[in-house]
Amino acid sequence: MSALAKASGALKSVDYEVFGRVQVSHYFPNQYTEQEARKLGVVGWVKNTSQGTVTGQVQGPEEKVNAMKSWLSKVGSPSSRIDKTNFSNEKEISKLDFSDFNTRY
């Protein structure tokens, strides 16, 4: 991933929180987010919160991070309803902090 990321230009990191009806399954809470992240080629994590939101961090080439931000804001998992998505701490980074995208508990 890192060689591909370097070839693709600047690396970005962004934190996110998604509000709405977004915790769709207790048993596979974030499988769709993981699948989309891996499909796009970004790394990071996702976690359900006790407030009913989904939070996490995405890192990767800027255009791939932007694609994931769009998915988190507009698409989400099949039965979710996204009311709003907050992004914070968006910054350029020199290297990725993660090697994959996974769910935290």
Side-chain angles (χ1 to χ4, degrees):
M1 173 74 192
S2 60
L4 172 64
K6 288 177 186 169
S8 300
L11 294 174
K12 290 282 185 177
S13 176
V14 66
D15 298 337
Y16 63 88
E17 186 168 14
V18 185
F19 297 82
R21 193 187 59 184
V22 293
Q23 292 186 6
V24 295
S25 169
H26 175 70
Y27 298 104
F28 299 103
N30 298 296
Q31 69 175 349
Y32 295 104
T33 305
E34 281 188 29
Q35 288 172 357
E36 187 65 17
R38 290 179 178 143
K39 183 177 94 177
L40 291 172
V42 294
V43 298
W45 57 273
V46 61
K47 179 180 179 178
N48 287 342
T49 70
S50 58
Q51 294 79 34
T53 65
V54 172
T55 188
Q57 186 176 82
V58 176
Q59 295 183 348
E62 184 173 14
E63 69 277 3
K64 293 181 179 191
V65 169
N66 288 341
M68 188 67 187
K69 285 172 64 178
S70 178
W71 186 87
L72 288 164
S73 299
K74 300 173 183 166
V75 181
S77 59
S79 56
S80 66
R81 185 198 74 241
I82 299 167
D83 292 338
K84 71 175 180 174
T85 306
N86 288 346
F87 296 101
S88 60
N89 301 319
E90 188 162 353
K91 60 190 173 192
E92 192 168 312
I93 55 175
S94 59
K95 65 179 182 65
L96 300 173
D97 295 326
F98 310 99
S99 59
D100 199 0
F101 195 96
N102 55 51
T103 298
R104 291 187 176 177
Y105 297 94

